Amino acid sequence: MKIKMLVAALLLSGGVTGAFAQTDNCKAQSSISHEAVRAGNFRDAYAPCMEVLKNCPTLRYYTFVDAQKILVNFLGQIKDRRSADYKKYFNELMQVCDLRMKYIPEFINSGMKGVPSVADALGAKAVDYIQYAPTPDLDTAYKWLKESVRTEKGKSKGAVLHYFLDVSMQKVKANVNHTDQFFQDYLEASKYVDDAIAAEPNRQKKGVLQSIKDNLVAMFIQSGVADCESLQKIYGPKVKQNQKDSAFLSKTIAVLKMMKCNESDVYFQASDY
């Protein structure tokens, strides 16, 4: 019995020692990779950073930020998006995004400050996907962006709101049946920014938010899909179908006003209802 207890104690001791050794190694690799990233030496930062994410993903949150910087740098240096190296680094970038979203709740629950929400990280993943995917899929990007924006609302990053409306606009060009949804996406994103502007006391930050709003307005007007004739065709039947839905009617009137279609039949009909 004493021999069995001694063996168990030795095994337990060895396991604890091994765990401490791995943690110490992770801390060393984390310091090496982080300093290399700060120095702009992404090549030397790559291997130790990936090792930390593999063995100790919750050691430090900035490891995910460093990994994103490293992989984006690599992707930016490869001209052929069809190459094996490009696809490898892009897939790793998406994996880093997924791993970050997986462990964000753990970082937040530990009381760490400055950690974004999962929805914010999803928006960041969507932006990276659009910018770096060899062949981005509009439906995939739109799904992620929409989920992020609808969760974050007025806290959404400017880039996420920009690409949300941009991808929605591209979907219209691919399928005209998405036009009505594009208008609703604009109203939704615009409202979130308006709410954020109204709630922001800092003048400088308020100015940044106003720039985001101005950019959304410009994108909507320049989309080429919003004229009085097309709006009449899109909203004419819908207004009649939704004549008791005040929220829908208000949104419709807001779009028509913004596009200066105040003299259209659909505007008068929506206003009457």
Side-chain angles (χ1 to χ4, degrees), residues 188-212:
E188 191 173 344
S190 186
K191 181 183 183 303
Y192 293 151
V193 182
D194 284 339
D195 291 345
I197 291 172
E200 180 55 61
N202 184 285
R203 181 175 295 181
Q204 186 174 0
K205 291 181 180 179
K206 193 183 286 284
V208 172
L209 289 168
Q210 185 60 53
S211 297
I212 294 171

Side-chain angles (χ1 to χ4, degrees), residues 3-131:
I3 292 175
K4 289 182 178 179
M5 291 176 66
L6 178 61
V7 170
L10 288 172
L11 289 173
L12 179 60
S13 175
V16 172
T17 302
F20 277 122
Q22 186 182 55
T23 301
D24 286 343
N25 181 60
C26 280
K27 288 180 179 179
Q29 295 300 319
S30 176
S31 296
I32 291 170
S33 65
H34 189 55
E35 288 304 314
V37 168
R38 291 178 65 183
N41 187 359
F42 298 109
R43 287 292 166 188
D44 288 345
Y46 174 71
C49 187
M50 294 299 112
E51 183 175 339
V52 174
L53 285 181
K54 179 181 178 182
N55 298 320
C56 307
T58 59
L59 180 66
R60 295 181 176 118
Y61 179 75
Y62 65 61
T63 306
F64 295 100
V65 180
D66 287 349
Q68 194 265 354
K69 290 179 181 178
I70 293 166
L71 294 167
V72 164
N73 177 268
F74 287 179
L75 292 169
Q77 294 182 34
I78 302 174
K79 294 182 179 179
D80 184 5
R81 293 196 170 200
R82 296 169 298 178
S83 69
D85 279 346
Y86 190 93
K87 291 177 181 178
K88 172 182 179 293
Y89 292 132
F90 172 74
N91 289 334
E92 287 183 353
L93 177 61
M94 293 294 99
Q95 290 166 9
V96 167
C97 291
D98 290 338
L99 201 61
R100 175 165 63 167
M101 287 188 287
K102 177 182 178 179
Y103 288 111
I104 276 176
E106 198 167 323
F107 283 108
I108 293 175
N109 290 336
S110 71
M112 184 177 291
K113 304 297 183 182
V115 178
S117 68
V118 174
D120 182 90
L122 178 61
K125 176 186 178 181
V127 171
D128 280 346
Y129 175 79
I130 293 165
Q131 293 181 324

Side-chain angles (χ1 to χ4, degrees), residues 165 169 182-183 186 214-227 258-260:
L165 196 61
M169 182 170 63
F182 169 66
F183 294 152
Y186 166 75
D214 293 344
N215 177 54
L216 294 177
V217 173
M219 289 175 66
F220 183 80
I221 293 173
Q222 294 169 12
S223 66
V225 298
D227 57 57
M258 186 181 65
M259 298 311 297
K260 296 181 171 55

